Amino acid sequence: MMKRLVVTTFVIILLPFSLLAADKPSFDIGPFAGFAGIPIGNNYFKGGVDWLQPANKENYYDDTEMIAMIKLSGISKDYGNSPFTISISCPNGMYMTSLSNPDFKRPFELYFYPKTYRFSSYDSKGNAVYVTDYDPGDIMKLSNSNPVGTFNPNLSTSYDWKQWFDVVLVLPGTVDAENDRLIVEENGQQIIYPLIEANDYSAIITITVDFDGAKSQGSLTLPFTGYYDGATDSTSKASENPASLAINMYPGASNINLEVSNRGVWIPVCSLSYMYFLGNSYEKNKYKTTRNAIFLSSSADPLVAGDNFVLVKDDLSYDTQLTSANSINFEAKLVDLASGNENTFDGTASVSTSTAFSDLKSDWVLLDGAVTMVKYGAPHGDKAAVYREYQAEMQIKLEQSDVTLLQGKYEGEIYVHVVTE
């Protein structure tokens, strides 16, 4: 009996959105499930004084509001007064922006809650007792106006210690759902952000953490995705699958040279960051049967085969016949930034929900088998982050032709479909 596949579609109107690679030999830094399917109109998501599961939303945060955790362990006592530096990088600022309507966006912030696991005393048997210190006054709040922060543990201990940071999503402002707008106080002024009902709000953030005693920096790139449904009390996720994909369009993607001399060569148009969060279990082998695949198509419906990718003069009427003078075909490919593997698409790919995963085309991006696991440990119990990530550059190649196109603006669409078994 064949397994049923779940297909998630992400739309790109050929032109907007980033990513960076992670190098964290000294840090354990990984995602929590809160980075995907964020209800951006929610009037909760305000952080709190500490973690509590389940949380009182007015005073605490819980796992659904955590987007990552950072851990640095095995720290020598000699570094008890060494500061941490944490910074946030977002290509277009700390905003979640609608992919199909980029004029609509909402700001977000990240709060970092430091938890220091240190020696406290000896018990009656002479064993060392360790405690987790936490001071609400040490919360590091990073935003568009303050993307870099520092934390100094100020420890006086003769023992080694460990440090965690809970990374919590905060949605500032108040949503006026009746008028589909967000009201935020910024620098003493009231700023209005109009909102549109859509499920394609996204952002890419890179969190970088450094510490004087560490061998090197740690970093994690997260593709945020969210939705606005006109409600302020929704706590549900946009998808059953904690999958998230975001795009960073290159500036030149909106002004591609269609002259003959620029045809037949690969042109970079955007970078793509995808992450699939599998769970918190330490049992790494249990996830090997969960698989993902990515393909590009000209069809918005993954179950319907599209036509070849094509750029079309934007002022043509619906019944105008396409010719070599008013349109030009192109191919699109994804280049894996980690492995260099390339996957090329002509726009005609599709899938059936009754298709077994093994029957998917081998020239698609197949994410199978290996997973990444980050073991957090305390202070949230024996938790781990198990996930897959894929970061790539998208390039297009115009069909080789000597025909001169009519002057004007040309547009085309690429749909990114993600298949999950």
Side-chain angles (χ1 to χ4, degrees):
M1 183 175 182
M2 294 181 291
K3 293 184 178 180
R4 184 175 180 83
L5 301 180
V6 178
V7 182
T8 307
T9 300
F10 302 88
V11 182
I12 304 175
I13 299 177
L14 189 58
L15 317 169
F17 298 72
S18 152
L19 86 126
L20 293 164
D23 177 26
K24 46 185 187 302
S26 298
F27 291 88
D28 290 316
I29 175 171
F32 259 58
F35 68 88
I38 299 165
I40 70 163
N42 198 306
N43 278 329
Y44 300 133
F45 285 86
K46 302 301 181 184
V49 297
D50 202 351
W51 176 86
L52 184 66
Q53 182 71 21
N56 176 336
K57 293 288 186 178
E58 295 182 356
N59 300 303
Y60 297 88
Y61 60 90
D62 62 14
D63 286 356
T64 65
E65 295 165 79
M66 285 182 58
I67 56 96
M69 185 185 283
I70 300 168
K71 181 180 77 171
L72 180 60
S73 44
I75 309 172
S76 166
K77 60 183 182 298
D78 297 331
Y79 292 99
N81 295 306
S82 297
F84 288 82
T85 300
I86 298 179
S87 61
I88 301 295
S89 173
C90 284
N92 301 302
M94 293 178 68
Y95 298 96
M96 294 196 67
T97 304
S98 170
L99 187 60
S100 57
N101 297 276
D103 289 336
F104 294 88
K105 62 182 181 179
R106 75 106 70 227
F108 65 88
E109 299 174 354
L110 295 181
Y111 287 7
F112 294 78
Y113 292 76
K115 311 290 182 70
T116 304
Y117 191 60
R118 65 166 182 83
F119 168 76
S120 173
S121 60
Y122 292 99
D123 62 18
S124 59
K125 297 181 180 180
N127 298 317
V129 177
Y130 288 81
V131 298
T132 300
D133 281 348
Y134 168 70
D135 185 343
D138 291 330
I139 299 173
M140 190 184 305
K141 302 178 180 181
L142 301 188
S143 61
N144 277 303
S145 61
N146 182 41
V148 181
T150 59
F151 167 73
N152 193 321
N154 291 318
L155 289 177
S156 56
T157 176
S158 59
Y159 290 84
D160 295 347
W161 49 285
K162 299 180 181 181
Q163 181 69 46
W164 283 265
F165 291 91
D166 291 353
V167 187
V168 176
L169 173 69
V170 172
L171 300 178
T174 302
V175 173
D176 173 11
E178 184 176 348
N179 297 294
D180 289 325
R181 62 179 189 168
L182 170 71
I183 305 170
V184 180
E185 293 287 336
E186 295 182 2
N187 299 320
Q189 294 184 326
Q190 195 175 79
I191 307 297
I192 305 297
Y193 292 92
L195 300 173
I196 187 172
E197 291 193 24
N199 62 1
D200 64 351
Y201 280 87
S202 67
I204 295 181
I205 68 162
T206 296
I207 303 169
T208 301
V209 57
D210 204 357
F211 173 64
D212 284 354
K215 295 179 181 178
S216 64
Q217 294 179 335
S219 67
L220 176 70
T221 296
L222 286 173
F224 276 10
T225 53
Y227 66 98
Y228 175 66
D229 60 3
T232 60
D233 58 354
S234 174
T235 57
S236 63
K237 294 296 182 182
S239 171
E240 294 179 0
N241 296 316
S244 193
L245 179 142
I247 310 272
N248 179 53
M249 298 303 295
Y250 298 155
S254 60
N255 191 28
I256 295 173
N257 181 2
L258 303 183
E259 296 293 337
V260 172
S261 60
N262 208 37
R263 301 173 191 174
V265 297
W266 288 105
I267 305 167
V269 293
C270 68
S271 58
L272 174 152
S273 181
Y274 170 75
M275 182 173 286
Y276 183 75
F277 187 83
L278 290 94
N280 295 109
S281 174
Y282 275 69
E283 300 176 40
K284 190 171 184 177
N285 290 335
K286 71 176 288 187
Y287 299 108
K288 288 188 176 180
T289 57
T290 302
R291 296 171 289 185
N292 312 95
I294 298 174
F295 68 94
L296 307 181
S297 171
S298 65
S299 172
D301 188 341
L303 306 180
V304 177
D307 298 320
N308 288 322
F309 289 128
V310 61
L311 290 171
V312 179
K313 199 168 183 294
D314 71 337
D315 58 359
L316 299 183
S317 61
Y318 74 94
D319 57 351
T320 300
Q321 183 176 356
L322 297 184
T323 69
S324 59
N326 62 24
S327 64
I328 185 169
N329 290 339
F330 66 92
E331 292 180 289
K333 75 175 178 180
L334 296 173
V335 182
D336 189 322
L337 296 181
S339 67
N341 293 337
E342 300 181 358
N343 301 85
T344 303
F345 304 87
D346 63 6
T348 63
S350 63
V351 67
S352 169
T353 54
S354 63
T355 303
F357 196 91
S358 58
D359 294 335
L360 298 181
K361 296 182 180 179
S362 59
D363 57 351
W364 294 0
V365 178
L366 301 180
L367 306 177
D368 193 5
V371 296
T372 298
M373 174 177 284
V374 176
K375 295 183 177 181
Y376 296 129
H380 296 304
D382 292 332
K383 289 196 173 183
V386 184
Y387 62 97
R388 285 195 181 95
E389 61 180 343
Y390 173 73
Q391 299 182 358
E393 180 176 77
M394 184 185 296
Q395 303 175 7
I396 68 167
K397 182 172 68 173
L398 303 172
E399 182 180 50
Q400 189 70 60
S401 170
D402 294 330
V403 176
T404 300
L405 292 168
L406 297 173
Q407 290 188 353
K409 181 181 178 182
Y410 288 74
E411 295 179 339
E413 294 183 347
I414 299 176
Y415 294 87
V416 181
H417 301 288
V418 179
V419 182
T420 304
E421 185 183 43

